[in-house]
Amino acid sequence: MIKALVVEDCPLNMELMEGLLEAYGTMIFKAENVVEAGRLLEKHKPDIVFLDIQLPGTDGATYARKLRREKGTGLPLLVAVTAQAMKGDPERILASGFDYYLSKPIDFQHFSHLMRLVGGKEQVNDEAWEEV
Ligand code: MN
């Protein structure tokens, strides 16, 4: 079973994310900020982390940089989830250390591709992500 950690401060977005993940039979851990996220990350070792960029306290991009600095490649898949979609934002966000980028509202095809990837049912196909 895929274990996913969702870090999201907006209850509605959290609910939407839960709905998507439940459709994949995913075990879901929820955090509203990076402090809770850190605790759940250590305790449950999720396969994938969906990290909102705009969070109270430490923002998602800062946290991703911190995780990369501390753990390098020994991390679950780090996915940025954000409504920021200005030109150059995806590149800037990915440069923070994320593996992937999902924009809100979440595109279902991107999401399902990602879940197949985590489930090991598909080879990494970077081309599918070029459009982000
Ligand atoms: Mn937020």
Side-chain angles (χ1 to χ4, degrees), residues 98-119:
F98 287 99
D99 297 300
Y100 295 107
Y101 172 95
L102 284 179
S103 53
K104 297 176 186 172
I106 290 169
D107 176 271
F108 188 71
Q109 273 192 311
H110 272 181
F111 180 81
S112 70
H113 173 81
L114 197 51
M115 294 308 286
R116 287 196 305 275
L117 197 69
V118 181

Side-chain angles (χ1 to χ4, degrees), residues 7-10 13 32 52-56 81-83 104:
V7 191
E8 171 64 76
D9 62 313
C10 166
N13 287 336
E32 291 177 12
D52 181 24
I53 295 297
Q54 290 181 309
L55 291 167
V81 185
T82 177
K104 297 176 186 172

Side-chain angles (χ1 to χ4, degrees), residues 44-80:
H44 299 289
K45 312 270 185 248
D47 304 295
I48 185 166
V49 180
F50 294 94
L51 187 52
D52 181 24
I53 295 297
Q54 290 181 309
L55 291 167
T58 304
D59 67 89
T62 302
Y63 187 55
R65 276 193 296 273
K66 178 179 185 287
L67 285 175
R68 283 288 174 220
R69 210 167 44 237
E70 291 175 357
K71 299 178 190 290
T73 53
L75 280 171
L77 270 193
L78 281 187
V79 182

Side-chain angles (χ1 to χ4, degrees), residues 30-42:
K30 300 185 285 185
E32 291 177 12
N33 54 59
V34 305
V35 178
E36 285 175 39
R39 200 167 44 79
L40 293 171
L41 200 60
E42 291 302 321

